[in-house]
Amino acid sequence: MIVLHGSPRRGGNSDTLADYFVKGVREAGEVEVLDFILNDMNIRSCQGCESCATSEGHRCAIDDDMQEIHAVFADANIVVWATPICTGGI
Ligand SMILES: Cc1cc2nc3c(=O)[nH]c(=O)nc-3n(C[C@H](O)[C@H](O)[C@H](O)COP(=O)(O)O)c2cc1C
C-alpha cells in the first residue's frame, strides 16, 4: 500500500484520515505501507513530452523524486491519495 501525503501540514486532517485508513487496513491483515511526503520531495510538473507514452518501458523523462513513486506505484495493491482541497472556496 502506498500513501501519498499531499498536505504541507504534517499531522493535519489529511494525515489523520490516512492514518485511520491505514490502521483499519492493518486490522484486516498484514500490509506493507510506503509513505511518501510529497511536500518534502522534489517533483516537477509534467512537461507534456509524452515520453511516458512513447518511450521503451514508458518511463517519465524527468529524473526527479517521482521516480521513487513510479518504482512502486504499479505494483501497489492500494494507493491512498491523502490530500486537502486548496482551491479557495470550491
Ligand atoms: C489556501 C487554502 C484553500 C482552501 N480551499 C478550500 C476549498 O476550496 N474547499 C474546501 O472544501 N476546503 C478548502 N480548504 C480547507 C482545507 O481543505 C482543509 O482545511 C483541509 O482539512 C486541510 O487539510 P490538512 O489539515 O491535511 O492540511 C482550503 C485550505 C487552505 C489552506
Side-chain angles (χ1 to χ4, degrees), residues 12-56:
N13 297 324
S14 308
D15 285 355
T16 301
L17 287 167
D19 288 348
Y20 274 108
F21 181 83
V22 169
K23 187 169 174 281
V25 172
R26 282 199 160 125
E27 280 168 9
E30 202 171 308
V31 64
E32 182 190 7
V33 180
L34 296 173
D35 290 284
F36 291 97
I37 314 302
L38 302 182
N39 195 49
D40 292 346
M41 298 176 76
N42 174 32
I43 298 175
R44 291 181 62 204
S45 297
C46 174
Q47 304 294 298
C49 71
E50 298 192 6
S51 171
C52 57
T54 59
S55 69
E56 192 176 337

Side-chain angles (χ1 to χ4, degrees), residues 65-77:
D65 292 344
M66 190 66 201
Q67 298 292 348
E68 285 177 47
I69 299 177
H70 284 145
V72 290
F73 192 93
D75 291 332
N77 54 356

